[in-house]
Every structure is written in C-alpha cells, then in structure tokens.
Amino acid sequence: MVEEFEEKTPEGFSLQYWVGVARRRYLQFLIPLFLGWVAVWSTSWILAPRYRSSTLILVEQPTMPSAYVTPNVNDDLQDRVQSITQQILSRTRLLHIIDELKLDAADRSRTNPDELVDRMRKDIQIDLVKDARNQINSFNVSYSSRDPYVAQQVTSQLTNLFINENLEVRQQQSEGTTKFMEEQMETARQTLAAQEDKIREFKAQHVGELPEQLATNLQILAGLQAQLHGEEDALNSARQQHVYLQTLVDQYRALQASSGTSDGGPPVGLPALDQQLDKLRAQLADMSSHYTDRHPDVRKLKDQIATTEKMRAQIIASMNANGDGSAATTQKVPAPRTAADIRDASPMLQVQGQLQANETEIGNRERGIAALKAKLGDYQARLNQEPVREQQLADLTRGYDQSKQNYDGLLKKKNESAMATSMELLQQGERFRVLDPPSLPLKADFPNRLKFCGMGLGIGLALGIVVAGAFEMADDRVYSEAEIKSLLPVTVISEIPVIVTAADEQISRKKAWLGWALAGFVVVTILAGSALSFLRG
C-alpha cells in the first residue's frame, strides 16, 4: 500500500495535491487535534493546584574589614550552603517541621514518615544566585504545597533554619578553630619550656665555659697572668731582700764577735755595708724613675736604706767609742733604760725581725703564686672547653629558636582566631539576611494551565497529522488526472468531463460548510480555553 501511495504521489512539491489532501482529510485532522488538546487541557484543570512560596536570602559580608580581623571559618560559601542544606533537609529537621505545622495530617496514618520526608524534599528548591564575578551573593529558598498559607509557613521555617544554622555553623567553626589553636599553642609552650629547662640546666652545669663568657674569661685570664707576674716579681724582690738581711745578720754577728781589727782599721763589715748602701740607692734611683714614692717596692727600699744607714751609724759610733782607750777601759757603758734605747742598742734584733717578716712574706707570696697558677689552669681549661660547649649550646639553641618561632606564630594566630570568634559571637561576620520575606502565592505554580494549553495544542497537531497521514496512506484510490495518466500504458486521446448534478453540488457545499464550521469550532474552542487558562491559570 505504501508503494502504491508513493507511486500516486506526484514528484516534487505540488500545492494542488496538498490542498486535495486537506480537503479529503480535514475530519481526520481536526478531530484528533481537538481531542488531544481537550485531553491535555482538561488534565490541567483536574490536577490539584500547588502553590510555591519563595524568599530571597542575601549573603552579607562581614562588617569588620578583613585587614583588621581575619575570619577563621571556611570561605567557600557554596560548600557551606550545601552543608547547611544537607543539615536542614535531614530527616529529623523535616519531621520536626511536619509535626509542628501538621503537614499531610490526613495521610499520616496511611503514609510512611520516610515517604513524607522524601515528598517534602522534592517540594523544597534552593537556587544559588551568582554575580558577574561568579561569586554567590544570594540564594532563593522556595517550597511548593497545595495550600498557599502552608507554603508560606514552611518557607518561613526554612528561612529561619538557614539563618540560624549559618550563625551556629560559623560560631562552631570559629570556636573550634580557636580551641584547636589553643591546644597547639599549649603543646608548643610545653615543648618550648622543656627546651628552656634543658638550656638552663646546660648553662648551670657549665658555668664559665659558655661562649658568651669567652671575653670575660680572657679578661680574667689576662688579669691573673698580670697578677702572677707581679707576684713573681714581688717574690723575687722578697728573696733578694732575704739574702740581703741574712747577709746583714751574718755581718753583724761577725762584728759582735770582734771589737775591731788588730791594726785599728775599720771593722770588716763596714765596707760591705757601704757597698750594700750604694746598691740599694742605685735600685731606688732606678725604681723612682718608673714608680712614685708611694709604690710599695719604693717604700720598702727606702726602709732598707734607712735601716742600713742606721746600722752603719751605730757601727761607726761603736768604733769611735772603742777608739777612746781610757773611756773603754775605765768606764762602763750605761745600761739602756727604755725600749727605744734597747732597740737602738740592739740593731741585730731589728734585722732579725725584718728577716722573719721577709720569710713570712716569701711564704705568702709562694702560696699566692700557687693559687694563681691553679686559677690560671682552671680558666685555661674553660677556654679549651669553650668550642665544645659552643657546639652543644648551638644544637640546643637551634631547636629552641625553632620552637620559639613556632610558639610566637601560634600565639599570633590564636589571638587573631580569638578576635575572629568574638566577631562571630557579636554577629558581625558574614551572615544571611532575608531580603524578600516569604511570599503568599496567589496563583498556583503547578499546573501551569497556559503551558498545558500550549502542550495540548502541540500534541493535538501531532496526533491530527499522524491520523490524517495514516488514512491517506491507507487509501488506494486515485484522485487526479495526472495519476491516472501515469498508470495507463497508452496515451489518452480524449477526456470525458465530470458531470456534476445539483444534488452533488449541494452535498459538496454541505461538506465544505461542515468542514469550515468544524474548523472554526476547534479554533474558537482552543482560543477560549487558552484565554481561560491565562486568566484563571
């Protein structure tokens, strides 16, 4: 049948052919068109209307500039909105709203709570609004219900949940961040305190061997060396004086043993005293050129010179007294009556006293030199240990510096986090604000009857074309002269015109009027239904 239809279909586009098809198949086209449109349009009036209430929530940026207070919560608003959405759409939250507003009270006895929650989730819609920089600046929250007042109440509940959850989530995140920073800072503080104790214990164990005491040790060592040099010089001087005093004692004893020489010359010890005086005076002149009169060595030399001169004078006086023969033989020397007389009459006692004091001084000097050498050895050992202690202290200090830097950084971050937490608690951070309150829908969001009317018209047109085409393809009759000529094997010589009677013309006119009337009815009905859907949709 299809092949026959293709054979009788003229090649190319033929307006006459399609007009003929429209005349023959208008009933098969108009009736399915009308029925399809009526079916879809009627469905839009049968379905229960649903009202959608929506609200616009604005995302307000923090009132405090980030240069002063850095937020310590997640900056990804989209992730936070999704997280809050998951919390709000949880089974517990939605069942609480269902119980509070008594949603689907008639179906509660026959419907599983999970089904009610799933149905409510499908009715909730959340749309993010982005600006030109592709950043979220607001979002819409809407809910669809059969009752417009219920839709508004649920939308208001969802809006409050979003605002409260955002504040709670930001505060929890901020407090959690601050608590984490405090724990990390406490751990860093304990580590730093342990390293400080190690450094303190190390310094206590190696006092005097630390790198910062190097200059002090060198200065003390130089002072000890100078002091040792002075003590050694003083010891040498004391030893020289000891030799000198011992010589005086020996000479004085020899002088006491003999009253004088056999030929009346001077005593044997007098030239030695003169030589000693010359030597002492030369030493005094040399030391006076380098030191003042208040210097101990200068004063000591002066005392030695005075003692030697006094001894020389006493020897000369004794020689003069012995030189007077009658006085020496016939008169006795008067006995000393005072301590001064005894001291003057006994220079030997003075020299012996000086000799004992000199021996005591030599012993003190030797002990002082030994102590100084011990101190010098101790400080030299400290200087030898200084490189080792410097390396050990550097190892301890390196870890301490790192811990100190880590602690200072954590302390700074903790203070900034605590300030950000205070800002969040005062609700001066990023927050949600209702820009448009939940609306009370006056027109149903579903079904959109005007849209259903357009869908019905499209479905009717497609159904009419399919039905009319099916009838045309199933018809094997020939309706044009060209088709007949194409089917005949011979050429047509003549044609007999169609003889139309009055009855045929009347029937033809009735069919035409019927077609136009049906077409007008369909068109007017569709237009009226569309107007009704627009006005009352």
Side-chain angles (χ1 to χ4, degrees):
M1 185 64 64
V2 176
E3 294 177 355
E4 293 177 357
F5 179 75
E6 291 177 353
E7 289 178 357
K8 67 180 181 179
T9 301
E11 297 180 358
F13 178 77
S14 176
L15 180 61
Q16 184 178 2
Y17 170 75
W18 291 108
V19 172
V21 173
R23 288 178 179 177
R24 294 190 300 271
R25 307 300 177 188
Y26 65 91
L27 291 177
Q28 290 85 357
F29 174 75
L30 292 176
I31 294 175
L33 169 63
F34 181 73
L35 294 178
W37 175 83
V38 168
V40 176
W41 181 76
S42 301
T43 303
S44 66
W45 293 93
I46 296 174
L47 294 175
R50 300 188 66 84
Y51 298 87
R52 180 173 294 277
S53 175
S54 62
T55 180
L56 180 62
I57 299 177
L58 179 65
V59 179
E60 286 189 338
Q61 298 301 321
T63 56
M64 188 70 64
S66 59
Y68 294 96
V69 180
T70 304
N72 59 348
V73 297
N74 185 14
D75 293 333
D76 195 342
L77 180 59
Q78 184 171 356
D79 292 342
R80 190 164 72 253
V81 170
Q82 291 179 355
S83 176
I84 296 174
T85 302
Q86 294 297 326
Q87 296 179 11
I88 293 176
L89 297 182
S90 63
R91 184 177 184 274
T92 305
R93 296 291 181 88
L94 295 183
L95 283 178
H96 178 72
I97 296 176
I98 292 173
D99 294 337
E100 183 178 357
L101 300 179
K102 296 179 173 57
L103 302 179
D104 297 328
D107 298 338
R108 291 296 297 272
S109 59
R110 303 189 305 272
T111 307
N112 189 3
D114 293 334
E115 295 180 0
L116 294 177
V117 171
D118 293 338
R119 188 187 307 169
M120 188 173 184
R121 285 173 181 167
K122 294 178 181 179
D123 294 334
I124 297 174
Q125 185 175 354
I126 300 173
D127 298 322
L128 301 178
V129 180
K130 298 183 179 181
D131 55 11
R133 296 178 297 177
N134 200 26
Q135 295 181 353
I136 299 175
N137 55 10
S138 60
F139 57 96
N140 287 308
V141 178
S142 59
Y143 178 75
S144 178
S145 176
R146 297 178 182 179
D147 188 348
Y149 295 97
V150 171
Q152 186 183 31
Q153 292 176 359
V154 173
T155 304
S156 179
Q157 289 277 358
L158 295 175
T159 302
N160 294 332
L161 285 177
F162 264 102
I163 295 175
N164 295 332
E165 282 295 328
N166 178 65
L167 292 176
E168 184 176 355
V169 166
R170 289 185 64 89
Q171 291 178 4
Q172 289 179 354
Q173 290 182 357
S174 181
E175 292 175 353
T177 302
T178 302
K179 184 177 180 181
F180 174 77
M181 297 305 300
E182 289 177 351
E183 293 175 354
Q184 294 297 315
M185 188 188 70
E186 179 63 22
T187 303
R189 188 193 65 78
Q190 294 177 359
T191 303
L192 184 63
Q195 292 180 344
E196 287 178 348
D197 293 339
K198 290 182 180 179
I199 294 176
R200 189 181 301 109
E201 182 179 359
F202 179 83
K203 289 184 177 180
Q205 291 177 354
H206 304 90
V207 175
E209 299 177 0
L210 302 177
E212 58 268 20
Q213 297 173 337
L214 176 62
T216 303
N217 291 336
L218 290 174
Q219 185 177 1
I220 294 175
L221 184 62
L224 290 175
Q225 289 176 348
Q227 188 176 356
L228 177 62
H229 182 70
E231 289 291 332
E232 289 178 347
D233 291 342
L235 179 61
N236 293 329
S237 299
R239 287 175 177 174
Q240 292 177 2
Q241 186 181 5
H242 180 270
V243 173
Y244 165 71
L245 293 175
Q246 187 65 41
T247 303
L248 287 180
V249 170
D250 295 340
Q251 290 178 356
Y252 198 77
R253 286 176 180 175
L255 183 63
Q256 287 181 346
S258 60
S259 59
T261 57
S262 57
D263 55 0
V268 178
L270 190 59
L273 289 176
D274 292 337
Q275 293 178 2
Q276 188 68 23
L277 278 174
D278 294 338
K279 184 178 180 181
L280 291 175
R281 287 169 180 168
Q283 291 180 0
L284 178 62
D286 181 63
M287 293 188 69
S288 297
S289 63
H290 295 85
Y291 305 103
T292 63
D293 293 341
R294 298 178 63 183
H295 194 272
D297 294 338
V298 175
R299 295 171 64 181
K300 186 182 298 184
L301 282 175
K302 287 183 178 181
D303 292 340
Q304 292 177 2
I305 293 172
T307 302
T308 305
E309 289 178 347
K310 189 174 182 180
M311 185 178 293
R312 183 176 182 280
Q314 290 177 354
I315 292 174
I316 294 174
S318 178
M319 291 173 59
N320 294 330
N322 293 330
D324 190 0
S326 60
T329 57
T330 60
Q331 296 181 357
K332 294 183 178 178
V333 177
R337 297 179 181 180
T338 63
D341 295 337
I342 295 173
R343 185 178 65 251
D344 293 338
S346 304
M348 178 65 177
L349 296 177
Q350 296 181 8
V351 174
Q352 289 179 347
Q354 292 180 1
L355 183 62
Q356 291 178 356
N358 179 259
E359 291 177 351
T360 303
E361 180 184 1
I362 290 174
N364 294 333
R365 296 288 184 183
E366 290 177 347
R367 288 191 293 271
I369 289 174
L372 287 175
K373 288 182 177 180
K375 289 184 179 180
L376 283 172
D378 180 43
Y379 278 95
Q380 188 64 45
R382 292 182 182 182
L383 292 176
N384 294 335
Q385 290 294 327
E386 189 273 334
V388 179
R389 306 306 178 206
E390 182 179 6
Q391 182 62 37
Q392 294 175 351
L393 186 61
D395 295 337
L396 292 175
T397 307
R398 186 182 302 110
Y400 173 79
D401 293 339
Q402 293 177 354
S403 299
K404 184 67 167 59
Q405 184 178 2
N406 184 34
Y407 176 79
D408 293 339
L410 290 175
L411 179 61
K412 180 180 179 181
K413 292 179 181 179
K414 179 259 178 184
N415 293 334
E416 293 177 352
S417 180
M419 190 179 300
T421 301
S422 300
M423 182 182 68
E424 294 294 337
L425 293 177
L426 294 175
Q427 297 184 7
Q428 294 184 358
E430 182 184 88
R431 55 182 178 174
F432 296 162
R433 183 171 65 87
V434 178
L435 191 61
D436 292 333
S439 60
L440 178 63
L442 300 178
K443 297 178 66 176
D445 180 70
F446 178 84
N448 190 338
R449 294 188 174 94
L450 185 60
K451 185 183 293 184
F452 268 76
C453 184
M455 293 172 55
L457 181 60
I459 293 174
L461 287 173
L463 185 60
I465 292 174
V466 170
V467 172
F471 273 95
E472 183 66 22
M473 292 175 62
D475 191 0
D476 57 354
R477 290 176 292 182
V478 178
Y479 294 97
S480 65
E481 296 178 359
E483 293 178 1
I484 295 174
K485 291 179 181 180
S486 63
L487 294 175
L488 294 176
V490 295
T491 304
V492 178
I493 300 175
S494 62
E495 298 179 2
I496 300 174
V498 179
I499 300 174
V500 180
T501 62
D504 293 335
E505 291 181 357
Q506 187 176 3
I507 293 173
S508 178
R509 285 196 297 270
K510 287 181 179 181
K511 288 183 178 181
W513 281 107
L514 178 62
W516 286 110
L518 182 60
F521 173 76
V522 170
V523 172
V524 171
T525 304
I526 291 175
L527 291 177
S530 300
L532 182 62
S533 298
F534 176 76
L535 295 176
R536 299 186 59 184

